[in-house]
Amino acid sequence: RVRTRRRRARHTGRHSRSARLPAFALLAVGAVALLQVGAGGHDLIHRIGPLTDLAAQRATATVVGQVSSEPRASASRFGAETVILTLDVHEVAGRAGDRAAYAPVTVRGGTELLQVRWWSTIQVTGRLSLPPEPGPQVADLRATGPPVLVAEPNLVARGAEVLRAALRDSVSGLPADARGLLPGLVIGDTSAVPGDLDQAMRATGMTHLTAVSGSNVAVVVGLGFALCAFVGMPRRLRPLVALAVLAGFVVLARPDPSVIRAAVMGAIGLLGISRSQRAAGLPVLGSAILAALVWDPWLSRSFGFVLSTLATLGLLLFAGPWGEAIARRLPRRLRLLGPAVAVPLAAQMMCGPVIVLLSGSVSLVGVVANLLAAPLVPVATIGGVACAGI
């Protein structure tokens, strides 16, 4: 009888697996088809208007659009300083008159572009050209004059700038390294990071600390949940408060694509650390990846997207079990360090192959440095957000 039951169990298992194969194949085909439709629609929308044709002709045009990235300065090969920003163009004035457009353009110009505020609407005149490499931007524009302000940033963008300025002012009395590093740790603002510190972080593989990542989001949302529990808020209301905290942090760090990606991945990573929601993490991660690639197909070529996805996968698979295993081997007063050690370790292990591909080497010093810095990042993030809000 026992053998008969075992045979039936094996037969039932094989039958259930074979019955699932068509469903899995159909799901995979549907996902690929959805990605193809998303990529085609994305390309079609960006080709609306004359931007591509004008860029191919290297024509001079006037564009109007919204500033979607912080202006950043870089030294050109001739020694002059060039300022670069991304402009989401919605109107083009060229040889054929004014026409609508819906595409991002890279604008390059002089230091007058540094005065442009994020999320403001400006008008720029310059010579268009095709981008040197394929990417989300459909054209490059070399500005031939100063930008003209068309509309100020909205209330949310102005509020975010006030908070960011408050954070910079709160650390103005610190030494140069700390004054530049803290805004980078909290909101990804690396404008004040000294050159020697930047080189040292590159040498030790710690540049990811100054980019808004899923770990920053997880810390902020985790703080929201902790405050809810501390004040005794009902459980059904806690996700809403955590969502509001997450939205506020995204506004503070500015809703660039990388920040939105980090917000999504960090929220999913919390599912992996939660014992009750761990099983739901992988399906949610898969759905989030699919939705992100449909929204922006160019993320498939972004190493940042790959690293965020792998780090989140590491949190889902290993952070919870490893944190519990490490905590059991620590004294009772130090058991809270278990998850703090497991989270960076799991993320580092999953991201290791891609980091080797990018750098061509593995830095043992970088692994140790990241492990030592990881427990301090949540403290810096929470303190920085508090300073911005005071």
Side-chain angles (χ1 to χ4, degrees):
R1 291 180 180 177
V2 173
R3 291 179 180 176
T4 302
R5 291 176 181 173
R6 288 177 179 175
R7 289 196 199 101
R8 290 177 179 174
R10 286 195 295 267
H11 178 73
T12 303
R14 287 194 295 267
H15 179 73
S16 62
R17 285 193 295 270
S18 62
R20 292 175 184 172
L21 287 178
F24 289 153
L26 183 62
L27 184 62
V29 171
V32 172
L34 185 61
L35 290 175
Q36 291 293 331
V37 171
H42 193 270
D43 183 66
L44 183 63
I45 291 174
H46 281 190
R47 290 186 181 276
I48 295 176
L51 272 175
T52 304
D53 294 336
L54 292 175
Q57 300 167 13
R58 299 185 63 84
T60 298
T62 299
V63 299
V64 178
Q66 196 169 53
V67 179
S68 59
S69 71
E70 190 77 20
R72 66 184 188 278
S74 64
S76 68
R77 57 183 177 179
F78 303 107
E81 192 175 50
T82 301
V83 180
I84 304 173
L85 59 84
T86 302
L87 192 69
D88 289 337
V89 175
H90 54 73
E91 184 180 329
V92 182
R95 298 169 183 172
D98 295 349
R99 295 179 60 184
Y102 306 94
V105 170
T106 300
V107 179
R108 305 175 190 272
T111 54
E112 62 271 7
L113 290 178
L114 289 174
Q115 307 302 319
V116 173
R117 299 173 64 185
W118 175 77
W119 218 243
S120 61
T121 301
I122 62 172
Q123 175 181 293
V124 186
T125 301
R127 183 174 295 276
L128 289 166
S129 62
L130 293 175
E133 296 180 357
Q137 285 77 29
V138 301
D140 282 5
L141 186 142
R142 173 66 65 174
T144 56
V148 177
L149 180 65
V150 176
E152 293 282 354
N154 58 30
L155 182 61
V156 174
R158 294 198 299 270
E161 185 55 41
V162 170
L163 293 176
R164 290 169 69 92
L167 175 59
R168 289 191 292 266
D169 292 342
S170 67
V171 299
S172 59
L174 297 177
D177 286 353
R179 185 170 63 248
L181 184 59
L182 187 60
L185 288 174
V186 180
I187 55 176
D189 184 357
T190 59
S191 58
V193 175
D196 56 346
L197 178 60
D198 182 63
Q199 291 296 327
M201 294 182 68
R202 290 179 185 275
T204 55
M206 301 179 71
T207 54
H208 63 93
L209 294 179
T210 55
V212 177
S213 64
S215 60
N216 297 80
V217 175
V219 168
V220 173
V221 177
L223 175 63
F225 274 112
L227 291 176
C228 291
F230 179 76
V231 300
M233 183 173 292
R235 290 183 178 272
R236 65 179 182 276
L237 297 180
R238 294 178 188 179
L240 298 177
V241 175
L243 184 62
V245 171
L246 178 60
F249 180 74
V250 168
V251 171
L252 175 63
R254 294 190 171 165
D256 294 329
S258 60
V259 176
I260 298 296
R261 180 189 68 223
V264 174
M265 293 302 176
I268 295 172
L270 286 175
L271 294 176
I273 301 175
S274 172
R275 183 192 300 268
S276 59
Q277 300 294 331
R278 193 175 297 165
L282 291 177
V284 173
L285 176 60
S287 301
I289 294 172
L290 186 62
L293 292 177
V294 169
W295 178 259
D296 185 1
W298 286 104
L299 286 175
S300 59
R301 296 183 47 154
S302 168
F303 279 106
F305 179 71
V306 173
L307 290 172
S308 291
T309 302
L310 290 176
T312 305
L313 183 61
L315 293 179
L316 293 174
L317 295 178
F318 305 117
W322 287 5
E324 295 171 1
I326 294 173
R328 285 196 298 268
R329 289 165 175 78
L330 293 175
R332 179 170 298 180
R333 294 182 178 180
L334 300 179
R335 285 181 181 176
L336 291 177
L337 294 178
V341 174
V343 167
L345 191 61
Q348 185 81 9
M349 188 199 70
M350 292 298 294
C351 295
V354 178
I355 294 175
V356 171
L357 180 64
L358 288 172
S359 62
S361 63
V362 179
S363 173
L364 296 179
V365 175
V367 174
V368 176
N370 277 279
L371 288 175
L372 292 176
L376 303 178
V377 173
V379 178
T381 301
I382 294 172
V385 172
C387 289
I390 295 177

